[in-house]
Amino acid sequence: MKKIGLVLCGGGAKGAYQVGVIRVLEEFGLLPYIQSVAGSSIGGVNGALFLQYTPEEMENFWLNCPWSTVFSVSKEKMNRMNQIVDSVNYRKIPSFIGMMNLAGVANQVGLPLKRKGFEKVFRSCLNPTAIQEDHRDLYISCKEARSPRRRFFKLNDLTYHQMKSVLLATTAVPGLYEPVLIDNISYVDPMKSELAPLRPLLSTDCETIIVVYLNPRARIGRPFIEGKRIIEIFPSKELGNGVYGSFDFRPDVLKYYMDLGSEDAYRILYRILRETPQSPHRVRVKNK
């Protein structure tokens, strides 16, 4: 695989899984062959981080980022949300009641949520020059707020403020956050309007496109699309349940997602790259 495209799908906190996958891409020596990247929602954020940082630095960012600030939920409210998540996961309360309680916590802080914390965090870690000068193209998927139409923004061609607006838009979950105005059109998180944001990579000279999903059931399931070989990497175990997994940012959970991403990527890629003379060292994933 000499010309590779990388597609990173959305899923909130479950995006830590993609960091584990990227670690294995590095171990297999594939990172230098990645020419183009496309992402949506948290996958778009990971795409921006990927162009700026090493896999180790991405892992450190994920484990140390103040996610309660990024998503504009106080630590107290975040802890309450995590308690609800635990209660549902361990079946102390039914999923429906958990969903109602979670919505109640969100409503306590007022909807739509303001995201000044998102801007503050990304002001400190987003290097527009590094993205603009990177040889790898980065495309971010957003959906128009009032129609099913999607638009892919090439982040390398944008200013810092435009980059920030696009990243805010691709993570603007409808109902939780306000749409983001770009070129006089309101955009939001594409969410279920696409299985994977790979459309812009089909017109590149990438021979292989690696798609990293965060939902094991929502996959394209085709080995070739328009002459491009498609390699799908997806969770072998459920990453939380719906909204619970998307907002469960506890470090131990994120670390579990990363390790599972590494295990799944290793298993899938090693089967494809059998000519590798020595398999990279793997850590075993422990059950949560």
Side-chain angles (χ1 to χ4, degrees):
M1 292 190 289
K2 299 300 182 182
K3 297 179 179 180
I4 301 174
L6 179 64
V7 174
L8 303 171
C9 301
K14 293 179 277 191
Y17 177 90
Q18 294 169 342
V19 179
V21 173
I22 291 170
R23 284 194 319 213
V24 171
L25 295 179
E26 179 185 47
E27 291 180 25
F28 275 107
L30 297 178
L31 292 189
Y33 301 108
I34 295 177
Q35 298 184 345
S36 301
V37 182
S40 62
S41 195
I42 200 66
V45 173
N46 276 338
L49 296 174
F50 176 72
L51 260 60
Q52 300 176 81
Y53 302 113
T54 66
E56 182 179 1
E57 290 170 336
M58 287 183 67
E59 180 175 345
N60 289 334
F61 173 85
W62 265 89
L63 294 177
N64 295 292
C65 178
W67 291 108
S68 58
T69 299
V70 170
F71 286 95
S72 301
V73 180
S74 69
K75 289 184 178 180
E76 178 184 354
K77 297 295 191 302
M78 200 69 145
N79 288 336
R80 177 58 185 147
M81 291 169 75
N82 285 331
Q83 289 172 6
I84 296 170
V85 168
D86 279 339
S87 295
V88 172
N89 287 342
Y90 290 105
R91 305 191 179 208
K92 295 177 182 177
I93 61 175
S95 297
F96 174 76
I97 295 177
M99 181 75 76
M100 295 296 292
N101 288 342
L102 202 59
V105 172
N107 280 315
Q108 288 177 29
V109 297
L111 296 176
L113 299 173
K114 307 299 181 183
R115 291 195 287 170
K116 293 181 179 179
F118 186 105
E119 299 182 41
K120 181 179 180 180
V121 169
F122 278 86
R123 189 163 56 244
S124 65
C125 71
L126 188 65
N127 184 343
T129 302
I131 293 176
Q132 291 163 347
E133 295 180 351
D134 198 285
H135 69 280
R136 297 162 294 188
D137 295 332
L138 173 59
Y139 300 93
I140 304 297
S141 173
C142 299
K143 189 186 82 69
E144 291 186 16
R146 294 180 177 83
S147 85
R149 289 192 296 268
R150 286 179 292 141
R151 177 177 174 182
F152 288 90
F153 295 87
K154 185 178 177 182
L155 224 64
N156 315 70
D157 295 341
L158 305 181
T159 65
Y160 167 77
H161 291 291
Q162 290 171 328
M163 289 182 190
K164 184 183 67 175
S165 294
V166 169
L167 292 175
L168 278 167
T170 195
T171 55
V173 178
L176 282 181
Y177 305 108
E178 294 178 335
V180 178
L181 194 65
I182 303 174
D183 298 334
N184 295 318
I185 299 175
S186 295
Y187 290 96
V188 296
D189 188 326
M191 296 184 70
K192 295 183 179 180
S193 65
E194 59 185 8
L195 290 176
L198 57 73
R199 190 177 71 199
L201 302 194
L202 296 177
S203 60
T204 68
D205 61 354
C206 293
E207 300 165 350
T208 300
I209 299 176
I210 298 175
V211 184
V212 187
Y213 300 95
L214 300 178
N215 183 345
R217 293 180 300 279
R219 309 198 306 271
I220 295 173
R222 294 169 59 186
F224 289 91
I225 298 178
E226 297 184 18
K228 311 289 187 184
R229 183 187 187 187
I230 307 297
I231 297 176
E232 298 182 302
I233 298 177
F234 52 89
S236 57
K237 301 176 183 178
E238 189 70 44
L239 302 182
N241 296 308
V243 71
Y244 306 117
S246 297
F247 284 91
D248 196 352
F249 286 100
R250 289 168 294 181
D252 61 323
V253 174
L254 298 180
K255 188 66 169 62
Y256 169 78
Y257 290 166
M258 291 178 192
D259 288 344
L260 184 62
S262 291
E263 287 293 327
D264 291 339
Y266 172 80
R267 171 177 46 80
I268 293 169
L269 291 174
Y270 186 62
R271 185 172 62 245
I272 295 169
L273 304 172
R274 293 184 179 216
E275 65 273 17
T276 303
Q278 183 177 358
S279 57
H281 173 69
R282 290 282 90 239
V283 294
R284 300 303 304 171
V285 176
K286 297 179 180 179
N287 290 327
K288 282 194 296 181

